[in-house]
Structures are given as C-alpha cells and as structure tokens.
Amino acid sequence: MTKRSFVKSPSPANIQSLSNNKATLLESPLKSKVQTKICPTSTPLQREASLKPADNGVSRDAKDFRKRIIAAITDGDNGQEVEEFFNVSKDDYHYVLDAIDDEKITRKLAYASELKLLTATLPNRLHQSYLAPMSATLLGAVGSIGVPYRFGQIRMQNDVAILSAIGKKLGIPDMLMEYKDPSGDCIPLWATEISVSQTKKSARGRLRDYMKSRKDLLAISLVDVKEMNKHAGPQSGSEAIQILKDRPSVSTFPEWLSHRDADDEDPIVMNTFGHTWQHPITATITTWLRHPDGSFHMKDRDPDFYATASLFPEREGLEDVDHVFRRTLERVKDHVVSLIKVRSPSDVDSSAFDPIRTWSPPTPLINWDILTDEIVVGAKQTGYGRYATWHNRIIKRKAKEDEVTTGGSGSMKRTRTA
C-alpha cells in the first residue's frame, strides 16, 4: 500500500459566487410562535416539523412547515450553504417536490427517509471537483466496452435533482451510472454521493434508501470531503469587514488570489483580506459492491466487496479502491450483456459479441493526479465564492447606508428647522 503526498497545484479559473455564514433557524411548529435566530454556518439550519400528515388530511402546522421548506428552497437570496430539515415525512417530501417548478429550485435536494432528513445545499465547485473528472473517466471506460448503440447505452448522470420513475419523483444520487435499454428504460448500476455539501450521515442514508429501492444497483460509492473547520463569515467590527468596506468593488479571482497570505503552504487554505475563506480539507472515498445474496453489507470489510482510501491531502489505499472499481465495471459489463441477451439472445451468442464478453477495464483506470488537482481548484474557487458573496453584501449594505445619510441626493440630508 503506497502513500503519497500532494505536490501539484493547478492554475485557478473563474467561478460563480456562493455561500453565507448566517442562517435563519425556524423552530418547531409545535410552538405557538415562530422564533427567528441568527446562527453561524457551523450549526446548519435545522427545522423541525411536529406532526406527520394525517391519513385524512394535513394539519395546519404541517402545511405551514411545508410552505417554509418551499420558501427556503426557492429563495435565491438565501446564501446558507447547507440547510437541514428534520422530521420530514415521505409525504412532506413528495408534496414539496410536486409544489415546486424545477426551474425555481436553487438547491440540490437530498432526502434520507430512514432519518426523515431533507438536506438542501447550494452547488459549489468543491462539490463538482470529483464529479466532472470521475464521470469523464468512467464514461470513457464503459464506452470502450463497445456495446452497439442499437442495444442501448451505458451512460453517466451527474447531479440530477429529480428523476421520474414509476409515477413518483425520486431523488437520485450526485453521480449515477445507468443502462438505457432500447425501450428507453433506465436501469441504475452504480450510485455515488458526495458529502461535501451535506452531512456524511445524510449522504449514507440517501445511498441506503437508493440501494433498497433499486435492486439492479451493483455498487455504491461515498466521497467524503470534510473541511477541518466549518467556514463562518467575518464578524462585525473585524479587520476583514473594515478592509472590504474600503474596497469599492469585488476583486477578480486573480486579484483576490494575489492577496493570499504568503505564509500559507497548504494549497487549499485561502486566507485573504484578513479572513480565512477556505480551511484545510480531507477527502476519502469508499465503495461497496452488492454481495451475491443481493444485499449491500455496509459494515463488511471483505476486500472483494469493499474498499476505502484517502484521496487528499495524502493518498493512501487507492490501489484497493482501483481494484473494487475494476470489479464494478466488470460486473456492469456482465449485467448489461445479460439484459441485452433477454431481448436479443442470438446476437449475444454470436461471435460478434466475443470482444464485449472478453472486455476488461483499461489500465490504468483512474488518473488520481487529475482528480487531486481538481479538488485544489474546487477548494480555491469555493473560497473565492464565499469572499465574493460577502464583499457584494458589504458593498450593498454600504450603499444603503450612504443613501440614508445623503437622502438619495448625493449630499448630506438636512433637518428642517421650525
């Protein structure tokens, strides 16, 4: 088992802004009065519902709770990175999905039914840093199997919020490998969740729900990206607030990066303008294969069905993950061939299918250098997004204060004397 330290650092790129360090805490509707509190990002927004919808109707408190969830999910000005809603029933969840137009959803929704937990997260580049390169790699690998198009496609779906299946809207994982057969039916094969934008407990619960409902699923993966210290925005009266007040416009990414503390050796840490916008992170990846008995044993450590490894900042155990990835792809090929054979047995039994039957995953399978490079890029851009959001907010606040002071005329407002 080899162990490597990260050395390489990529060039930055532009990003979209995100994030906020404050959230509104709406307490349980059991209480007669809704109370509003301000809490730091280190305590995610927690909202509790008191009652499950009754069989013959829904209580007023439950209806109010659903409306508040919908309002939070569709509020484009709400910059809280992660929001969690507790005691959310399946009926609540499906009601929320049915009530919201897809284009109005500003967050990724993740529902874990066993936990009755709905997590709503803002997208960020750190979340995407694993999905994009891994999706491209795996798509290239399964493409080399060579299944003719007329027999269907093996494809990758990334971060799709809602999937219609069997008349219900079901949340699907951050990344999904699936087989689309000639009739258009999509059969899930390998599901991956990223816990950078939600709690690890929520991500595991979501995977557990998905693997129970989809019996064709062959493998599940969990990528856990953890920030060592949860980010909180600069405090009122701090040096950072004063520095940003004195800067009339938001810096570009290169400008912002040029102000990074020279003493920071960690390529992830983003300390600029007197504030740490991105703390050190760790990244681990864990994969489980479905056992021959048809179930996933998430506590089992059999190396043929399970592997975990450290991806960042140090690499350790990636050979084991690579081994399980290769076994997964071989299973994907065998399963797809068996599905094709149901429709076209003579084609599958012909010599034309020999290269497909004997296919094995390419070597090497994963370029871990590219993946770690993308994690660094994602962390930098996430830090910049937090900065840009805060600086924009301070500029707007200062403009409003100036307008009050000048009366909107550009000069000091005078008080009329009697």
Side-chain angles (χ1 to χ4, degrees):
M1 191 175 295
T2 61
K3 185 172 182 179
R4 294 180 55 190
S5 295
F6 177 80
V7 176
K8 204 172 174 184
S9 178
S11 300
N14 293 327
I15 73 157
Q16 58 184 5
S17 66
L18 48 83
S19 161
N20 189 358
N21 82 316
K22 294 186 177 179
T24 301
L25 174 60
L26 300 181
E27 297 188 349
S28 169
L30 273 175
K31 299 189 177 182
S32 59
K33 187 177 181 181
V34 175
Q35 299 177 1
T36 303
K37 298 181 180 179
I38 300 299
C39 53
T41 302
S42 56
T43 303
L45 180 67
Q46 300 179 351
R47 309 176 186 218
E48 295 189 67
S50 59
L51 301 173
K52 293 180 181 179
D55 293 337
N56 59 349
V58 180
S59 72
R60 177 178 293 181
D61 284 340
K63 288 180 180 178
D64 181 61
F65 175 63
R66 291 175 175 180
K67 289 179 181 178
R68 285 181 284 165
I69 293 178
I70 292 169
I73 291 172
T74 57
D75 182 4
D77 294 327
N78 179 8
Q80 175 68 11
E81 291 184 3
V82 180
E83 291 188 312
E84 292 182 317
F85 305 88
F86 294 94
N87 285 345
V88 178
S89 69
K90 285 185 179 180
D91 286 339
D92 293 332
Y93 177 55
H94 289 300
Y95 177 90
V96 169
L97 290 181
D98 289 335
I100 301 176
D101 294 332
D102 290 356
E103 62 270 15
K104 292 184 179 179
I105 297 180
T106 61
R107 296 171 175 270
K108 167 71 185 299
L109 303 182
Y111 180 64
S113 61
E114 286 188 3
L115 303 173
K116 295 184 178 179
L117 172 63
L118 175 62
T119 306
T121 59
L122 285 173
N124 63 53
R125 287 297 298 269
L126 189 54
H127 180 264
Q128 294 290 332
S129 62
Y130 177 91
L131 295 178
M134 184 57 75
S135 177
T137 295
L138 295 179
L139 187 61
V142 295
S144 69
I145 295 174
V147 175
Y149 182 79
R150 68 180 183 277
F151 295 119
Q153 290 178 288
I154 305 173
R155 59 187 191 176
M156 303 296 299
Q157 298 284 5
N158 289 342
D159 208 8
V160 181
I162 297 173
L163 172 71
S164 294
I166 323 176
K168 292 184 179 180
K169 288 181 176 179
L170 302 174
I172 72 170
D174 290 317
M175 185 171 75
L176 181 67
M177 180 182 291
E178 64 182 10
Y179 168 63
K180 183 178 74 68
D181 71 17
S183 73
D185 188 17
C186 296
I187 300 161
L189 303 171
W190 187 356
T192 299
E193 275 290 321
I194 315 291
S195 67
V196 66
S197 58
Q198 58 183 297
T199 66
K200 185 177 181 179
K201 185 178 182 181
S202 172
R204 286 176 68 99
R206 187 165 156 80
L207 280 173
R208 192 177 292 110
D209 284 348
Y210 197 74
M211 70 189 187
K212 286 181 178 179
S213 64
R214 308 312 297 257
K215 300 303 181 182
D216 283 294
L217 204 60
L218 303 175
I220 55 175
S221 294
L222 174 63
V223 181
D224 183 31
V225 182
K226 186 179 299 181
E227 196 167 2
M228 302 295 284
N229 298 301
K230 202 69 176 178
H231 176 260
Q235 298 297 309
S236 177
S238 66
E239 177 191 9
I241 292 291
Q242 190 57 51
I243 292 174
L244 297 183
K245 278 185 176 180
D246 293 339
R247 300 181 68 86
S249 62
V250 176
S251 298
T252 64
F253 183 85
E255 290 171 346
W256 174 77
L257 201 61
S258 70
H259 287 272
R260 182 170 175 258
D261 286 356
D263 294 336
D264 290 333
E265 296 181 359
D266 190 329
I268 291 293
V269 176
M270 295 291 110
N271 195 331
T272 66
F273 302 133
H275 184 74
T276 301
W277 305 100
Q278 175 67 56
H279 295 277
I281 65 169
T282 61
T284 59
I285 178 170
T286 306
T287 297
W288 296 266
L289 279 174
R290 190 183 289 276
H291 278 244
D293 63 5
S295 63
F296 285 95
H297 300 176
M298 297 189 77
K299 294 184 179 180
D300 188 12
R301 296 297 180 263
D302 185 332
D304 284 332
F305 298 94
Y306 162 89
T308 189
S310 171
L311 180 57
F312 193 91
E314 294 183 335
R315 303 183 200 173
E316 186 172 7
L318 290 173
E319 298 91 342
D320 298 332
V321 170
D322 199 77
H323 168 71
V324 172
F325 274 20
R326 294 176 67 84
R327 281 178 53 82
T328 300
L329 291 177
E330 288 169 353
R331 282 193 175 192
V332 165
K333 180 257 298 184
D334 291 341
H335 188 53
V336 169
V337 168
S338 69
L339 292 173
I340 295 173
K341 189 170 184 177
V342 172
R343 291 174 174 269
S344 309
S346 59
D347 288 305
V348 173
D349 291 337
S350 70
S351 59
F353 254 71
D354 286 346
I356 297 174
R357 281 191 296 268
T358 59
W359 175 90
S360 61
T363 302
L365 179 60
I366 308 296
N367 186 331
W368 299 109
D369 287 332
I370 292 178
L371 210 56
T372 50
D373 282 357
E374 288 297 319
I375 288 175
V376 172
V377 171
K380 288 181 177 180
Q381 294 179 343
T382 296
Y384 175 73
R386 290 168 174 170
Y387 150 74
T389 298
W390 266 94
H391 201 170
N392 263 320
R393 185 177 297 115
I394 290 170
I395 290 172
K396 290 179 181 179
R397 187 185 306 153
K398 189 173 184 297
K400 288 182 179 179
E401 292 172 353
D402 290 346
E403 185 176 356
V404 171
T405 302
T406 62
S409 64
S411 60
M412 294 298 290
K413 190 174 183 180
R414 296 181 179 179
T415 303
R416 178 180 296 177
T417 57

